[in-house]
Amino acid sequence: MTELDGAWAVDRLSGALPPLHGCVKRINGNRGTTEFPHLPGMPFEVRGLELHYRPPFAMLVDKLEPQNGGYLGHATMLGREFGRFRLRRLTTMDQLKAQLIKHIDEAHALEQNVLQMLDGMISTTDDPEILDALEHHRLQTQNHADRMAQRLETHDTAPSTVKQVGGVLGVLAKLPLDFVRGEKAGRNARDGYATEHLEIASYELLRRIARMAGDEETAAAAAEIIAEEQAMAKVIEEHWDKFVELSLREEGVRV
């Protein structure tokens, strides 16, 4: 363990550095990354008080000097300084809040994906009872997305404009969501059921992180959304026989 180990907030001081809002350097031993919200991290090697970036950023080196409990950083390119920044060690609460915002943002992105999925399901569903349930849940899902956007606004953050496919979004992206081939009813039910439980798991994590970060409003919102997702999963559970019957009928099978 070195004196630089841990997570550090990066504040721009001067020069040609880009805006550094939300930028964090994470260091563990002789390795670390400079991370920006919603973008891949930039890895570097720690050599004393110098951070040497790896390709394709190998021309960059951050040179640090201790200052007021943190560090003054000199950003250099090919040995020439082009900007200065300050490193502030993040407290546990700082890191909790950063994780909270990350999970809220991911929940918002997930809801946006689910809205698209529900639109596809609605367009391929003929059964009036199932169609009514899907349209009702679409209204709920839009409300979930709006609530997560509001929680981000409370934390002075906007929903991501760059949606990386990772975490729960990566799982959702792997669902077939095949609305063209046969057995639409069965596929809709299968994919919808899997997605409801994916959302439940996502909000269970968010609810607990929100409580740890002292954000009771987000925790309460997550709990309410979990209940609605569980109710929709229950609707699907109660209609498996109907989904099977509709699916077989679509394939011309009469039983």
Side-chain angles (χ1 to χ4, degrees):
M1 183 172 181
T2 72
E3 59 184 304
L4 290 174
D5 278 13
W8 300 84
V10 186
D11 300 321
R12 180 185 180 279
L13 295 179
S14 62
L17 289 169
L20 297 177
H21 178 70
C23 179
V24 174
K25 291 186 187 292
R26 301 184 190 278
I27 300 174
N28 183 14
N30 63 354
R31 296 185 178 184
T33 55
T34 296
E35 302 173 3
F36 293 87
H38 322 304
L39 293 173
M42 298 168 57
F44 55 77
E45 294 180 359
V46 180
R47 302 177 188 174
L49 292 180
E50 294 186 351
L51 312 179
H52 291 252
Y53 287 84
R54 297 180 181 176
F57 308 105
M59 75 290 292
L60 301 177
V61 176
D62 292 337
K63 298 182 178 181
L64 309 177
E65 58 180 281
Q67 185 183 79
N68 301 326
Y71 291 89
L72 172 65
H74 303 265
T76 70
M77 178 183 291
L78 299 176
R80 299 187 64 176
E81 180 176 318
F82 65 90
R84 294 188 178 189
F85 58 89
R86 178 186 298 112
L87 293 187
R88 294 180 292 107
R89 187 180 291 278
L90 291 172
T91 65
T92 299
M93 184 54 69
D94 289 333
Q95 295 182 68
L96 267 176
K97 289 184 177 180
Q99 288 299 310
L100 171 62
I101 291 171
K102 173 184 173 183
H103 279 264
I104 297 174
D105 189 49
E106 190 171 67
H108 179 269
L110 178 59
E111 297 292 4
Q112 295 295 325
N113 280 266
V114 173
L115 282 171
Q116 295 179 25
M117 187 185 77
L118 287 170
D119 286 339
M121 289 181 171
I122 289 170
S123 69
T124 58
T125 299
D126 299 321
D127 184 84
E129 184 179 8
I130 303 302
L131 184 60
D132 182 66
L134 289 173
E135 290 177 337
H136 174 67
H137 192 56
R138 193 194 186 287
L139 291 175
Q140 289 181 322
T141 300
Q142 183 63 63
N143 178 256
H144 299 168
D146 292 343
R147 293 184 76 177
M148 290 300 100
Q150 291 168 2
R151 297 315 304 154
L152 286 172
E153 184 178 351
T154 299
H155 290 281
D156 298 320
T157 305
S160 304
T161 55
V162 179
K163 294 295 190 293
Q164 285 185 284
V165 179
V168 292
L169 296 184
V171 176
L172 183 58
K174 293 175 183 177
L175 290 176
L177 305 181
D178 190 340
F179 305 118
V180 179
R181 296 170 57 190
E183 298 183 77
K184 291 188 292 292
R187 292 171 184 271
N188 282 353
R190 177 198 62 194
D191 295 342
Y193 192 70
T195 301
E196 292 307 316
H197 286 84
L198 191 62
E199 290 186 278
I200 290 167
S202 179
Y203 281 108
E204 287 286 8
L205 291 171
L206 173 58
R207 180 167 65 92
R208 286 164 172 78
I209 292 172
R211 283 182 173 171
M212 293 176 70
D215 185 349
E216 291 299 331
E217 289 189 46
T218 295
E224 292 169 10
I225 291 172
I226 287 169
E228 293 182 349
E229 305 295 4
Q230 289 173 333
M232 185 59 191
K234 186 67 174 178
V235 168
I236 298 174
E237 286 180 6
E238 293 172 348
H239 290 84
W240 281 121
D241 289 339
K242 173 174 282 191
F243 288 125
V244 169
E245 178 185 346
L246 292 172
S247 182
L248 291 174
R249 188 184 304 168
E250 288 166 358
E251 294 297 297
V253 180
R254 296 289 187 267
V255 293

